Amino acid sequence: DTEVTQTPKHLVMGMTNKKSLKCEQHMGHRAMYWYKQKAKKPPELMFVYSYEKLSINESVPSRFSPECPNSSLLNLHLHALQPEDSALYLCASSRGAGEKLFFGSGTQLSVL
Amino acid sequence: GENVEQHPSTLSVQEGDSAVIKCTYSDSASNYFPWYKQELGKGPQLIIDIRSNVGEKKDQRIAVTLNKTAKHFSLHITETQPEDSAVYFCAASRVSGYSTLTFGKGTMLLVSP
């Protein structure tokens, strides 16, 4: 099983809303990631969790708040987003450092 | 930091033809080079990867070649099929540390029947 599951698949939110994106993997991977992808662009790294600890934050605005409740789950809490934050948000996981990276199908987010 | 250049940005071929996508990288310490295929509305799917101790790797109709000296690597797809149509991303990283891949800008491949 090489599946990373993301919910919801689509999300529309206003700039004053609070919402959360969820990601789950059952491959026993110890590293999990959030990426942001704009249309016709490559994925951009946002956060990396390793062994449930935040190890990389690519200077992401505080309106994005990641959380790793356990080794299988990764959340991204969203608050007071801007229209320019509209994008495909991808979760990924890998067994460990330098290992193959597996992506979920993403959450298409629209901020109105 | 690493910089990955990918060419061409778009590629149109007829079904059955071969397709080649090329990437160059700047960091001589990079030693892991995956290729991802992304279909519309889906996340990137790892289709093949190569490490720097190998010059070529093949998986059915897909092959990747690596030239460490020139710092470039290529994806070769033979006998293309319409379902190969997608955006392809190359990437590079160091095996040590976290998988912070640097992606190329992508190639949109269109295979016409």
Side-chain angles (χ1 to χ4, degrees), chain B residues 38-52:
Chain B
Q38 188 171 24
E39 297 174 282
L40 198 61
K42 296 186 178 181
Q45 176 192 4
L46 178 67
I47 56 171
I48 196 167
D49 58 4
I50 192 168
R51 295 187 187 267
S52 59

Side-chain angles (χ1 to χ4, degrees), chain A residues 58-71:
Chain A
E58 292 285 357
S59 303
V60 179
S62 60
R63 57 185 184 268
F64 296 91
S65 176
E67 178 196 20
C68 189
N70 60 54
S71 60

Side-chain angles (χ1 to χ4, degrees), chain B residues 60-103:
Chain B
Q60 299 182 340
R61 297 187 296 110
I62 294 173
V64 57
T65 58
L66 171 65
N67 183 325
K68 282 178 57 180
T69 304
K71 289 191 281 189
H72 66 70
F73 56 112
S74 301
L75 178 71
H76 304 254
I77 306 174
T78 58
E79 300 172 24
T80 54
Q81 300 167 3
E83 50 265 39
D84 294 329
S85 296
V87 177
Y88 291 80
F89 292 100
C90 64
S93 74
R94 302 182 184 189
V95 173
S96 60
Y98 300 103
S99 295
T100 52
L101 296 173
T102 300
F103 286 91

Side-chain angles (χ1 to χ4, degrees), chain A residues 21-89:
Chain A
L21 308 184
K22 297 185 183 300
C23 175
E24 190 169 2
Q25 57 86 14
H26 295 289
M27 295 179 277
H29 288 178
R30 304 317 301 260
M32 296 186 77
Y33 311 73
W34 281 114
Y35 281 82
K36 173 183 177 180
Q37 187 178 29
K38 290 282 210 179
K40 299 185 180 182
K41 298 287 187 183
E44 298 175 18
L45 183 65
M46 300 175 70
F47 302 103
V48 181
Y49 272 83
S50 179
Y51 290 87
E52 301 160 46
K53 287 184 169 41
L54 183 64
S55 56
I56 295 178
N57 176 343
E58 292 285 357
S59 303
V60 179
S62 60
R63 57 185 184 268
F64 296 91
S65 176
E67 178 196 20
C68 189
N70 60 54
S71 60
S72 299
L73 296 175
L74 186 66
N75 299 322
L76 186 63
H77 303 297
L78 314 173
H79 173 55
L81 294 193
Q82 304 297 309
E84 57 265 29
D85 295 323
S86 298
L88 181 68
Y89 287 84

